[in-house]
Amino acid sequence: MPCDDLESIELQVIEDVLDTVETRIREMERCGWRLTVPRSRVYAAVLLAVVVSAREAHRVPATLDHAAILDEILDGAEPFGDPRARQPIEDTIRGYATPVN
């Protein structure tokens, strides 16, 4: 696959993850949670989880789209508060947030 295609794929993965994180932060804020750190810290923590997951895949090329965690982040994203789903974004946000009410 040409380098430009790989870059395009990785940029799209990053964009999709960041959009999903922002959506989840806003949902949690509507439910009475407030971040105790800058949003950028939450974005960085989730992106790091994607990078680590991609590295663990041991696939060549080692691109972000091979990260197994993306299935949980993007494909099966459940609404905030659904206890049935593993929610890596929500778990990360809770580590950097506190309930206000």
Side-chain angles (χ1 to χ4, degrees):
M1 186 176 294
C3 185
D4 290 344
D5 290 344
L6 292 176
E7 286 181 16
S8 178
I9 290 169
E10 291 211 306
L11 282 172
Q12 188 62 55
V13 168
I14 292 168
E15 183 179 347
D16 291 347
V17 169
L18 293 178
D19 287 346
T20 302
V21 171
E22 180 61 24
T23 298
R24 293 294 189 268
I25 289 173
R26 288 181 184 185
E27 287 175 3
M28 290 184 78
E29 287 174 336
R30 281 193 296 274
C31 292
W33 289 76
R34 294 293 173 255
L35 293 178
T36 58
V37 297
R39 274 175 150 66
S40 59
R41 180 65 177 197
V42 178
Y43 297 141
V46 173
L47 285 175
L48 179 59
V50 172
V51 169
V52 168
S53 180
R55 288 178 185 156
E56 289 173 348
H58 300 290
R59 298 203 34 208
V60 176
T63 56
L64 297 178
D65 59 311
H66 291 131
I69 198 170
L70 290 177
D71 290 339
E72 297 165 358
I73 290 175
L74 302 175
D75 292 342
E78 299 291 332
F80 169 67
D82 186 334
R84 297 170 295 167
R86 182 169 182 274
Q87 301 173 325
I89 292 176
E90 289 78 358
D91 293 343
T92 300
I93 295 169
R94 280 189 189 96
Y96 296 111
T98 186
V100 176
N101 15 357

